[in-house]
Amino acid sequence: MTITQEIQETHVTTGATVWLTGLPSAGKTTIAYELAGRLREEGHRVEVLDGDEIREFISAGLGFSRADRHTNVQRIGFLAELLARNGVKALVPVIAPYADSREEVRGRHQESGAAYLEVHVATPVEVCSVRDVKGLYAKQAAGELSGLTGVDDPYEVPESPDLRIESQHQTVQESAAALHALLTERGLA
């Protein structure tokens, strides 16, 4: 047995999908990348499925109607579940505004036996609009944008997420640590 084979046999990697849902500028992506760094340092295989990148490369051509948002979430969910089944921690910082879309993704994970955690980054819209990382709230206020989730388009708050993070009350590192603690508690980190 080679050293590589020995390491592969003793280092079991459990995949999982960690879906971080919340309003635009809530801190989802920042928390995901902070957690990804920590998990990689521990030897986990990790991918961050950033919503903006997915829209550019996998869901190009989709708009922001309810049907298109649902299709986008299902595509991302399929990709995350595929990664999770193959031993990767898929961190998914994607708004996913509709509860039924999120539940459909959870259901597919349950059917395949892949772990799925829903994390609600519960930053209030008032805080998100001040952060306004992409300038969306400013554009909406100026009348240049409509359909902004949580402002003039619905966001269905998760009723019972696996974890709720109020990012306005803690640092990014503390938010990522809380999520890491949940993964550890569930045997996934």
Side-chain angles (χ1 to χ4, degrees), residues 29 32-33 36 40 46-50 53 89-93:
T29 302
Y33 278 109
R40 285 186 184 111
V46 181
E47 289 295 333
V48 176
L49 301 180
D50 181 270
E53 292 175 359
K89 303 284 186 297
L91 308 182
V92 186

Side-chain angles (χ1 to χ4, degrees), residues 21-179:
T21 179
L23 297 175
S25 297
K28 303 175 299 297
T29 302
T30 305
I31 294 167
Y33 278 109
E34 179 71 23
L35 178 62
R38 181 170 178 178
L39 290 170
R40 285 186 184 111
E41 287 174 4
E42 295 173 353
H44 296 276
R45 294 169 44 203
V46 181
E47 289 295 333
V48 176
L49 301 180
D50 181 270
D52 292 334
E53 292 175 359
I54 297 290
R55 275 208 173 261
E56 182 179 350
F57 296 106
I58 294 176
S59 293
L62 289 180
F64 291 90
S65 67
R66 184 180 177 106
D68 282 357
R69 288 176 191 251
H70 178 77
T71 298
N72 186 48
V73 168
Q74 297 315 301
R75 288 177 182 177
I76 297 168
F78 171 79
L79 183 56
E81 189 264 335
L82 181 66
L83 289 167
R85 277 191 291 121
N86 285 283
V88 176
K89 303 284 186 297
L91 308 182
V92 186
V94 173
I95 296 169
Y98 302 111
D100 60 340
S101 296
R102 295 189 305 263
E103 279 308 306
E104 203 170 308
V105 170
R106 180 189 295 274
R108 263 201 320 280
H109 279 72
Q110 288 171 339
E111 287 173 17
S112 74
Y116 178 89
L117 299 173
E118 182 179 74
V119 178
H120 179 211
V121 183
T123 311
V125 70
E126 299 79 23
V127 174
C128 294
S129 66
V130 170
R131 289 179 181 170
D132 204 8
V133 178
K134 299 174 191 167
L136 299 175
Y137 293 93
K139 287 180 182 175
Q140 192 277 335
E144 300 169 15
L145 175 75
S146 63
L148 182 58
T149 302
V151 177
D152 59 354
D153 210 55
Y155 176 75
E156 298 172 358
V157 174
E159 291 182 16
S160 53
D162 295 283
L163 179 65
R164 193 174 313 276
I165 293 174
E166 294 184 5
S167 70
Q168 74 277 18
H169 297 306
Q170 58 192 34
T171 66
V172 172
Q173 293 76 18
E174 289 168 336
S175 296
L179 188 42

